[in-house]
Amino acid sequence: MSKTFLNPIETISSVIDMGITRGREKSSIKILISGFMAGMFISLACIGFLIAQTFDFPFSKFLGASIFPIGLMLCVFTGTSLFTGNSLLSLSFFTKDITLFQLVRNLILVWIGNFLGSIFVAFISFYSGTFLLQNIQEVVLNACISKINISFIEGIFSGFLCNLLVAIGIVMALSATDAIGKLFACWFPIMLFVLSGYQHVVANMYIFSIGKFLCPSYLPILKTITNYLFPVTIGNFLSGGVFLPIIFYILYVDKK
């Protein structure tokens, strides 16, 4: 009987292998495209999440949180790259399988690709008529307002908690050996972070982008990046790219 999931040591080995494959990718265009597609997938999930908030019943927030994990599912099954998930490449750097340059290059290109994919879906969804109704426009603008009202420090800490769950979801998906296992591995941690209201930089990229289309005079682009996306990026990386990789390295890699 085949195994339905890998043990922790086997799983962390898979995480390292993922880091080697992605970190050693020589084509910048491929990395950008991979990030672009992942940005699109998270943005499409964001649309479902935002639409769910327009439903007038007590469990609309939970419904939205249940829909959003589809974005990560699409990324996992297509092998595309999210900044949050690719933060785990730090583990391959700790094992000296990739260089610091390869790690930083991948994360920067993936971040840019994620942002471009988010803007693209915002453009398409805006002109598709998805946001014509007043109630969905109010949901989007309220989401933007709630995100710009958090402080720089809150953005870092909320981003930390978010990617603690997202990165664990990636690890769980790598541990599963069948499709159903990978689906559930994506669903539970992502549902929890969305329900808790933590900040995910790629999701925020889309929400700010569609907010800009709906209200062009609102949210200056440079200020949005420096004041709102930057702290969340830091928080996301601190958990997915520093905290968890160090823990995994100590527990499952270091032989001392």
Side-chain angles (χ1 to χ4, degrees):
M1 185 175 179
S2 60
K3 294 170 63 174
T4 57
F5 63 94
L6 306 177
N7 66 43
I9 294 176
E10 293 170 330
T11 301
I12 297 308
S13 179
S14 295
V15 174
I16 294 170
D17 289 342
M18 178 189 74
I20 293 170
T21 300
R22 296 186 179 188
R24 293 181 181 177
E25 174 57 63
K26 294 181 179 180
S27 172
S28 297
I29 296 298
K30 286 185 178 180
I31 297 172
L32 275 171
I33 292 173
S34 183
F36 182 88
M37 293 304 298
M40 285 185 60
F41 294 147
I42 294 299
S43 299
L44 291 170
C46 259
I47 294 174
F49 166 77
L50 292 168
I51 291 174
Q53 307 311 299
T54 66
F55 299 156
D56 187 20
F57 71 95
F59 299 105
S60 60
K61 185 175 182 180
F62 179 74
L63 176 61
S66 299
I67 292 170
F68 189 82
I70 294 171
L72 184 62
M73 294 173 190
L74 294 172
C75 293
V76 166
F77 279 86
T78 57
T80 49
S81 297
L82 274 178
F83 173 84
T84 44
N86 273 33
S87 295
L88 287 167
L89 269 63
S90 294
L91 184 56
S92 301
F93 167 68
F94 294 155
T95 60
K96 300 181 180 179
D97 288 301
I98 63 172
T99 65
L100 180 61
F101 173 78
Q102 289 172 325
L103 171 64
V104 173
R105 170 177 173 266
N106 181 276
L107 291 178
I108 290 174
L109 290 174
V110 166
W111 195 97
I112 293 170
N114 289 166
F115 202 5
L116 293 175
S118 301
I119 295 171
F120 179 74
V121 173
F123 175 83
I124 297 295
S125 58
F126 176 77
Y127 286 103
S128 73
T130 303
F131 296 94
L132 285 177
L133 297 178
Q134 184 67 30
N135 58 349
I136 185 63
Q137 292 182 17
E138 291 175 358
V139 167
V140 172
L141 295 178
N142 286 337
C144 289
I145 290 170
S146 71
K147 291 180 182 299
I148 65 174
N149 282 335
I150 65 172
S151 68
F152 197 94
I153 294 298
E154 288 173 332
I156 291 175
F157 280 89
S158 183
F160 183 96
L161 291 172
C162 168
N163 208 27
L164 196 63
L165 291 167
V166 174
I168 286 293
I170 296 288
V171 172
M172 289 169 61
L174 287 171
S175 77
T177 60
D178 62 352
I180 297 300
K182 291 182 183 296
L183 289 172
F184 277 107
C186 292
W187 191 83
F188 283 100
I190 306 308
M191 178 275 294
L192 181 57
F193 109 66
V194 178
L195 192 62
S196 301
Y198 299 141
Q199 302 297 316
H200 186 277
V201 65
V202 184
N204 287 5
M205 288 173 179
Y206 177 76
I207 290 173
F208 286 135
S209 295
I210 191 62
K212 184 70 175 176
F213 277 105
L214 290 172
C215 189
S217 61
Y218 193 51
L219 295 172
I221 295 175
L222 184 59
K223 185 179 179 181
T224 299
I225 294 173
T226 57
N227 290 23
Y228 313 124
L229 293 181
F230 188 52
V232 175
T233 299
I234 294 172
N236 286 168
F237 180 74
L238 286 176
S239 55
V242 179
F243 181 77
L244 284 176
I246 287 175
I247 297 297
F248 291 149
Y249 184 85
I250 293 171
L251 290 177
Y252 306 116
V253 179
D254 189 9
K255 303 301 181 182
K256 295 179 182 179

